[in-house]
Amino acid sequence: MLPLAEIVSSYYLRLRVVDQPGVLADIARILADQRISIEAMIQREPDEGEEQTDIIMLTHQTVEKNIDAAIAKIGQLSVVKKKIIRLRMESLG
């Protein structure tokens, strides 16, 4: 049995962030520094008058301790406005 920190999985991440230039670049840099690759991402245009938006990402497989470290660093960014949602994505096949 592996310790939880050593589990390899893909992840769903949802981040509520300020809609301004450079936010995605900062998040992507933190992920890259933790050796986490983005498989897919979507960022919707904020509603009129809204200054925040959600970024939703799916990652390629990574070690859980890496995603934990990345989330801790991303969560410290002043542009992140809510707790980051993280779900482990298990393969059924």
Side-chain angles (χ1 to χ4, degrees), residues 12 17-18 23 25 46 49 63 68 72 74 80 90:
Y12 164 98
V17 299
V18 175
V23 171
V63 179
D68 289 343
I74 293 168
V80 176
E90 299 297 331

Side-chain angles (χ1 to χ4, degrees), residues 29-43:
R29 172 54 36 214
I30 291 170
L31 292 171
D33 289 347
Q34 294 299 320
R35 303 178 53 88
I36 299 168
S37 178
I38 299 168
E39 181 176 329
M41 189 216 70
I42 187 168
Q43 178 181 348

